Amino acid sequence: MSTPSALARPSGVPLTHRLAARAVLPAARLLSRLPPQRIRSALALVRRGAAAATPQQAQAARDAMCAVSLLCAGPQGCLPRSLGTALLCRLWGVWPTWCTGVRVVPPFAAHAWVEVDGRLVGEAAPDDYFTRLLVVAPARRDAP
């Protein structure tokens, strides 16, 4: 027996954001097929030179990814959604913290997400609901 469900896709996403999201979606899907360490290495390279994202920038990027892709909007699309969100933020010159991890409480479930200042972006869970296993945070510039 199946349960009817509908994906909630964000509305009101500007055309420029949707076009940019469509541009980064293939790269996000390609990255999602790589082993975790390669994903982390690729993202660490891509984040160079980017400022830290604000919660509003990260949410706008996440909304754009969900607006253009049913995969990203769906419950099984967390990895391409989080990768696309991070890449879209980078296209805008900023970088959120990209994370993968597992739920703290049973049953076991892996998840990927973005956060800003330790707060989950667009997730319907408390900030301490997941344990972080891989993290690619904004690069810190040392003061001269």
Side-chain angles (χ1 to χ4, degrees):
M1 182 168 153
S2 63
T3 305
S5 64
L7 298 177
R9 295 176 81 179
S11 60
V13 177
L15 177 62
T16 55
H17 289 191
R18 291 192 316 260
L19 292 173
R22 284 207 184 272
V24 301
L25 184 58
R29 292 192 67 180
L30 181 66
L31 277 173
S32 71
R33 296 174 183 262
L34 296 177
Q37 294 302 328
R38 289 199 134 183
I39 294 173
R40 183 169 66 175
S41 297
L43 293 181
L45 184 65
V46 170
R47 75 174 173 187
R48 290 185 184 174
T54 65
Q56 295 81 13
Q57 290 168 322
Q59 184 65 54
R62 187 182 192 281
D63 287 347
M65 293 308 299
C66 291
V68 301
S69 170
L70 283 175
L71 172 66
C72 290
Q76 301 299 317
C78 65
L79 185 56
R81 177 177 57 240
S82 66
L83 291 167
T85 300
L87 294 174
L88 187 53
C89 281
R90 183 59 188 100
L91 191 65
W92 296 339
V94 295
W95 188 260
T97 300
W98 177 83
C99 305
T100 61
V102 295
R103 282 200 308 215
V104 176
V105 295
F108 172 85
H111 192 55
W113 67 95
V114 296
E115 58 185 45
V116 175
D117 296 329
R119 309 226 26 154
L120 303 175
V121 174
E123 301 290 338
D127 295 331
D128 60 352
Y129 192 69
F130 301 104
T131 297
R132 292 158 191 82
L133 299 177
L134 289 178
V135 176
V136 181
R140 303 282 187 237
R141 295 185 189 194
D142 296 328

